[in-house]
Amino acid sequence: MKKFLFALAVLSGLAFSSFAQTKTDDGNKFSIGVEPGIPVGNISNFYSFVIGGSLKYERTLNQQAAFTLSAGYSSFIGKSGTIGGISFKSTSAGFVPVKAGLKCYITDAFYGEGQLGAVFSTQSGGGTAFVYAPGIGYKFSPNVDLGVRYEGWSKDGTIGQIAFRLAYNF
């Protein structure tokens, strides 16, 4: 896990430094973001918070639409509690979501986005699930973006979260 996070940080730094030197408007954009979230549904009985980060690539299709690819890491933070008289303490769980989608600009700054993909558990035997993520967002400037989405992971049921993404675009 530490190796994965280190590799993600190194790749982010390399991408940022290579694109920070030149400014071109060729329709290719990259962003790096922090992603806090709130578990929803039954999973919220065992996890209190989600924290993660992501890298996103955006390719302009026309003035109102863009194709997106994203990959990141999400950690569900476990909690302690009692359900039906049984006490429990959940350990944190890590996941790597990889998604592709379409972003549609309603105005120059406000957009709607939908993504589909797969999420991979970092726990032994955790497996893979289908991920879908509809959301909305607002670009405060060419470099600052804030979005909110519902993200569902489906495999023998659904794990869901309301996630936010504060990103720096370059």
Side-chain angles (χ1 to χ4, degrees):
M1 178 52 57
K2 291 179 184 177
K3 290 178 184 180
F4 175 77
L5 292 175
F6 178 72
L8 185 63
V10 169
L11 288 173
S12 299
L14 290 173
F16 179 75
S17 65
S18 67
F19 289 101
Q21 302 302 320
T22 59
K23 180 71 174 168
T24 61
D25 194 10
D26 60 358
N28 295 307
K29 298 174 188 163
F30 291 88
S31 65
I32 185 168
V34 62
E35 299 193 4
I38 302 165
V40 294
N42 290 337
I43 197 75
S44 65
N45 293 329
F46 304 101
Y47 297 99
S48 58
F49 190 71
V50 183
I51 189 66
S54 66
L55 293 171
K56 186 183 277 190
Y57 167 76
E58 184 177 323
R59 173 72 180 165
T60 302
L61 300 174
N62 60 40
Q63 288 182 344
Q64 287 83 29
F67 170 75
T68 63
L69 289 173
S70 66
Y73 178 79
S74 295
S75 179
F76 278 67
I77 308 301
K79 68 180 182 180
S80 301
T82 304
I83 296 179
I86 299 171
S87 296
F88 67 91
K89 176 156 176 60
S90 298
T91 59
S92 296
F95 301 91
V96 178
V98 178
K99 302 175 282 195
L102 186 65
K103 183 185 274 190
C104 296
Y105 287 91
I106 299 162
T107 67
D108 286 343
F110 184 72
Y111 62 85
E113 181 175 23
Q115 292 187 303
L116 301 173
V119 62
F120 306 93
S121 174
T122 60
Q123 278 63 38
S124 178
T128 303
F130 172 72
V131 61
Y132 56 95
I136 58 172
Y138 189 82
K139 288 178 73 172
F140 290 93
S141 74
N143 299 103
V144 178
D145 187 314
L146 178 64
V148 62
R149 69 183 182 280
Y150 171 79
E151 187 163 301
W153 301 347
S154 294
K155 179 182 179 180
D156 302 325
T158 299
I159 293 174
Q161 69 168 311
I162 302 297
F164 300 88
R165 184 173 193 263
L166 179 60
Y168 176 77
N169 303 305
F170 51 97

